[in-house]
Amino acid sequence: MAVESGPVSAAEYEEQQPATLWAESGDDRAGDGAGSPSSAHAEAAARDEADAAALAEAAGNSAVQHLSPAFPDRAAWGTASKLRAWQVEALTKYFETEPRDFLTAATPGAGKTTFALRLATELLARGTVDRIVVVAPTEHLKRQWADSADRVGIRIDPMFKNGDGMFGRHYQGVAITYAQVGMNPEVHQKITASGRTLVVLDEVHHGGDALTWGDGIREAFSGATRRLSLSGTPFRSDTAPIPFVQYAPDEQGIRTSISDYNYGYGRALKDGVVRPVLFMAYAGQMRWKTRMGDEMSASLGEQVTKDITAQAWRTALSPEGEWMPAVLSAADKRLTEVRRGVPDAGGLVIATDTTTARAYARILQQITGERPTVVLSDEAAGSSRISAFADDTSRWMVAVRMVSEGVDVPRLCVGVYATSASTPLFFAQVIGRFVRARRRGETASVFLPSVPGLMALAATLELERDHALDRPKDADDGMYNPEDAMVAEANKEDRASESLLEVQPFEALDSQASFDRVLYDGGEFGTGGEVGSLEELDFIGIPGLLEPDQVRDLLRARQATQAKRSKGRAVKDGQPKAAEPENRPMYMTIKEQRTELARLVSIWSRHSNEPHGSIHAELRRISGGPAVAQASIEQIQKRIDVLRSRIGGRR
């Protein structure tokens, strides 16, 4: 019984399914060409109807057998009775028109791989395609795709190299990286042209990572029979167009990407498909030295210049200071609490480079007495370590970037964002490692520096973005890197804001951590406190198994408790009620301080006959900090205090 190519209802499809989907997927439509179905499947197709139906049911269910039990509104699609509702919606929409290109944007952890493989099995069964090419960002993801495909009876070669020319006939396709395509698109164009090919572009936004990648993908896959693009973060921080993605102008004339189906974090959270995320923000006092020998200091998270923020952040991430050990210790305490309800819960530290990753691992080993899994590269050894960690019950893994996207380790519940990367794309990819729900009630916890840019990204986690090819001249939506052209142009006009990180050697001197606040569901909770204080432990001790509404209610209760505790201390100590701070823009305060400092320097210059420049240099030597144009409110105030003391003494 043949499956019609037109759209059918779920009920009609389920009636047709047992006798066709997997039985006919073994039909040798491609002859002896590369990627033709194996003889085992051909024999299965020739069996009697009862055996074929049993085979169909087993294989069809295997595509989703790893899914957790009964999420809300889950609907049936053929034999795969455990498909999630969004997957059914997306499949139904696809087969309404069967387009050549289809972009599915689904939040990390929603099940894009299962959706793609379910679509692939159907296209194979209908004879629409006879081979599959999966393009992934990393070597590890190639193997992960091959393993998942094998579980549903699709044999994909993840070891294929450009020099091989063609994959073996015992495979139905290959898994390759975007870099492979970029290096030799002609090879992949020949593979695609040699049969009816479905190309799956996993995390398709990587198609714009390099000009050669985008050009190579267009050249290699322009002739594909079908193209399925997948992304958990369908936007980029630049304006490089993504191959095979449609763009249309919005109401402001900005060309933005168009998703054929979108399943965002907000809806996935309501459906129980992903975990809610508690962001545990940590501040603290930082101190570092410049090339000129000037010592600078700032509080992490205070409103200062971009350069000061970057250097304070970098100081916090230094394994030589006290900030990272304190935050890692707090994160491990949180992991212990989560493991009370989720015994195999694991933690992941995302590091900036291999040196700091190894240092963080040593700190964690001292804290826990257990050697963490360390992943430093995208080679086979790194993949095997990730796989081993995913299957065991150890506590911590430390990695450099490669675990930030697409890697499926569902037991990750606690994370430490210990990298200086701050683009919305990278941030969303990292958080995606912790939101994959296995059962209702699991909560993710991510520890991160209290840096304004990261706080804004955490507060807007549920915001769905499209990829914009154009930028409005006055845009400032948090999607741009500090190195964006707009900022670079502004820096040309104000040399005082030129990035110190690029022109000066850096030496972190000291870092101290303090608990700042918790961000959850767009709200902020907590009154701050020292590391190890009741204020911190109130939130670290939140149970790891709670419904989202219960998390919100408990956060509010802890917030109220801290407010009462703080009020009680003030009454006990006889402290007067603090005056409400005046709500004024920071630049106004800094401008007034600079004016006052200039006035005092002028006065002292008349008394001492010293040039203004010499006085400023002396103040920097005594008080620390950069030039006035870069100095924070606190640093300028110190210089004012020094001059007032001198002038008072002369009088």
Side-chain angles (χ1 to χ4, degrees), residues 9-197:
S9 68
E12 292 171 337
Y13 191 86
E14 193 163 8
E15 291 177 1
Q16 299 171 359
Q17 185 73 11
T20 59
L21 176 59
W22 285 90
E24 290 197 7
S25 68
D27 188 14
D28 194 2
R29 296 183 178 86
D32 294 331
S36 61
S38 69
S39 59
H41 273 195
E43 293 173 3
R47 293 176 185 172
D48 57 62
E49 186 172 342
D51 288 343
L55 178 62
E57 182 175 1
N61 284 334
S62 70
V64 291
Q65 64 184 0
H66 64 285
L67 297 180
S68 49
F71 284 93
D73 302 321
R74 180 176 292 165
W77 179 276
T79 59
S81 60
K82 291 184 179 180
L83 279 177
R84 292 166 174 166
W86 82 263
Q87 295 164 334
V88 176
E89 290 176 2
L91 286 165
T92 301
K93 185 172 183 180
Y94 181 90
F95 284 107
E96 286 175 354
T97 59
E98 293 200 53
R100 188 180 188 186
D101 285 295
F102 194 84
L103 170 60
T104 299
T107 190
K112 292 187 293 298
T113 302
T114 296
F115 162 73
L117 290 174
R118 192 65 189 83
L119 178 60
T121 59
E122 174 59 14
L123 292 176
L124 286 169
R126 295 187 178 199
T128 306
V129 302
D130 52 41
R131 65 192 58 197
I132 298 172
V133 173
V134 177
V135 189
T138 67
E139 292 289 329
H140 179 81
L141 285 178
K142 284 170 38 177
R143 288 180 280 271
Q144 188 167 291
W145 268 98
D147 292 342
S148 298
D150 187 72
R151 289 195 289 269
V152 298
I154 301 175
R155 292 164 303 285
I156 292 177
D157 181 10
M159 308 304 292
F160 177 83
K161 296 180 176 59
N162 289 348
D164 297 338
M166 180 61 71
F167 58 90
R169 64 181 59 184
H170 46 285
Y171 289 110
Q172 290 171 280
V174 295
I176 54 180
T177 65
Y178 288 95
Q180 275 182 270
V181 179
M183 286 187 290
N184 197 338
E186 293 84 2
V187 169
H188 306 285
Q189 190 275 333
K190 291 179 182 178
I191 293 175
T192 304
S194 64
R196 295 164 295 182
T197 305

Side-chain angles (χ1 to χ4, degrees), residues 390-579:
D391 294 335
D392 64 27
T393 60
S394 58
R395 295 179 71 88
W396 285 98
M397 176 164 61
V398 182
V400 180
R401 296 182 72 92
M402 72 167 289
V403 188
S404 67
E405 181 177 43
V407 175
D408 187 10
V409 186
R411 71 184 189 90
L412 287 176
C413 294
V414 177
V416 179
Y417 194 94
T419 174
S420 56
S422 59
T423 65
L425 178 62
F426 183 79
F427 185 83
Q429 291 165 354
V430 169
I431 304 308
R433 300 315 100 218
F434 305 98
V435 300
R436 299 171 183 266
R438 297 178 295 178
R439 55 172 169 160
R440 290 197 70 96
E442 291 183 341
T443 300
S445 303
V446 177
F447 289 69
L448 74 172
S450 187
V451 176
L454 293 184
M455 297 297 96
L457 293 174
T460 57
L461 180 63
E462 296 183 26
L463 181 64
E464 297 175 9
R465 291 189 176 100
D466 292 316
H467 176 217
L469 280 184
D470 308 302
R471 288 177 181 160
K473 294 180 179 179
D474 58 348
D476 186 14
D477 62 358
M479 291 181 61
Y480 304 115
N481 301 335
E483 294 76 24
D484 282 343
M486 182 180 66
V487 178
E489 185 63 29
N491 287 347
K492 290 179 182 177
E493 299 175 5
D494 182 6
R495 299 298 295 177
S497 297
E498 191 173 27
S499 177
L500 298 179
L501 291 180
E502 296 178 357
V503 300
Q504 296 178 354
F506 183 87
E507 181 183 358
L509 298 178
D510 183 55
S511 62
Q512 302 295 325
S514 62
F515 173 68
D516 189 4
R517 60 194 186 274
V518 173
L519 279 69
Y520 178 79
D521 193 27
E524 296 186 1
F525 305 87
T527 57
E530 299 299 321
V531 172
S533 65
L534 290 176
E535 286 73 18
E536 178 195 36
L537 297 177
D538 280 343
F539 295 104
I540 287 181
I542 290 176
L545 275 176
L546 288 174
E547 291 291 321
D549 289 343
Q550 293 175 319
V551 174
R552 189 179 300 105
D553 292 342
L554 186 54
L555 287 171
R556 289 171 178 166
R558 298 277 166 96
Q559 174 91 344
T561 298
Q562 290 193 1
K564 291 179 181 178
R565 188 186 299 150
S566 178
K567 182 178 180 180
R569 287 173 181 167
V571 172
K572 181 178 179 181
D573 297 340
Q575 298 174 354
K577 181 179 178 180

Side-chain angles (χ1 to χ4, degrees), residues 373 383-394 411:
T373 297
S383 287
S384 62
R385 291 191 188 102
I386 295 172
S387 298
F389 181 83
D391 294 335
D392 64 27
T393 60
S394 58
R411 71 184 189 90

